[in-house]
Amino acid sequence: MKPPRTAVVLLALAALAGGCGVSADAGAAGKKAPSLQIQQGAERADAILQETLAAVRPGLKWNHGPGGSAGCPKGVAGAATGTGASDRIIGIMTVVSEQRRGALLGVIERDWKSRGYKITNVNESQTVPAIHASTPDGYSLTVKVAGKGQFFLTAATPCLTDSDVQAPTTQPNTPQRSGVFPQRPDVQDDFWSATTTPPPAAGG
């Protein structure tokens, strides 16, 4: 098993990816002793992200980002709760032009709604737009446009029973880049990288 992610990685992610990380709201969602372990929750988060990617056409090139895990709030008098939360992050390596960002956000929002996920917040910023959602079983989802127009997808678990968390087993569809995360998108796509306004409901 791989050791837990370090706080340094999580802080670097928050700074460079525009705040992606373990969701405090997701961590607070568990109100009773959970039956699932964090590893199981991380696998569920991986599955949600893969479902989201599968809904996008044309498909996107992507890599795993440095997700992490953290303990949930302490119990009475600071006692350990034996629970924690984890998140998974995907960085999109396809270059998505400014003209096509809204189309991609729309595809993802529609897919989440079709699965019964609740849209909890929409940031309509021109530079760093984002959509936040939650699943019926307590997972928090985010799609965010960060620096250089790069898209990030995040799925964070609710509070679950403490366990070691392994790296995702899903295989990215583009080689891992070298250097400090995030590695900026560098894959051109005839549709997503185009600088013209897309047709109605494009990419759906």
Side-chain angles (χ1 to χ4, degrees), residues 114-201:
S114 75
R115 298 180 189 279
Y117 302 162
K118 179 181 179 182
I119 304 302
T120 56
N121 186 55
V122 177
N123 181 351
E124 298 181 351
S125 166
Q126 292 296 312
T127 55
V128 286
I131 299 173
H132 303 270
S134 62
T135 70
D137 50 349
Y139 290 73
S140 293
L141 313 178
T142 300
V143 55
K144 177 179 295 186
V145 182
K148 307 294 183 181
Q150 185 171 22
F151 275 71
F152 292 93
L153 290 168
T154 304
T157 75
C159 282
L160 301 171
T161 301
D162 279 337
S163 69
D164 291 334
V165 180
Q166 298 178 339
T169 58
T170 49
Q171 293 299 311
N173 60 6
T174 187
Q176 182 67 47
R177 277 56 166 176
S178 60
V180 178
F181 180 84
Q183 297 82 25
R184 296 306 183 186
D186 56 10
V187 180
Q188 292 288 326
D189 180 86
D190 289 343
F191 180 82
W192 294 116
S193 306
T195 57
T196 57
T197 303

Side-chain angles (χ1 to χ4, degrees), residues 63-129:
N63 263 310
H64 290 294
S69 57
C72 286
K74 298 295 184 179
V76 178
T81 62
T83 61
S86 181
D87 67 1
R88 298 300 211 194
I89 298 172
I90 281 178
I92 303 303
M93 302 309 295
T94 299
V95 176
V96 182
S97 70
E98 184 176 356
Q99 292 82 358
R100 301 290 166 115
R101 292 172 194 167
L104 181 51
L105 289 168
V107 169
I108 293 171
E109 181 177 9
R110 290 193 295 274
D111 176 66
W112 286 350
K113 287 180 176 178
S114 75
R115 298 180 189 279
Y117 302 162
K118 179 181 179 182
I119 304 302
T120 56
N121 186 55
V122 177
N123 181 351
E124 298 181 351
S125 166
Q126 292 296 312
T127 55
V128 286

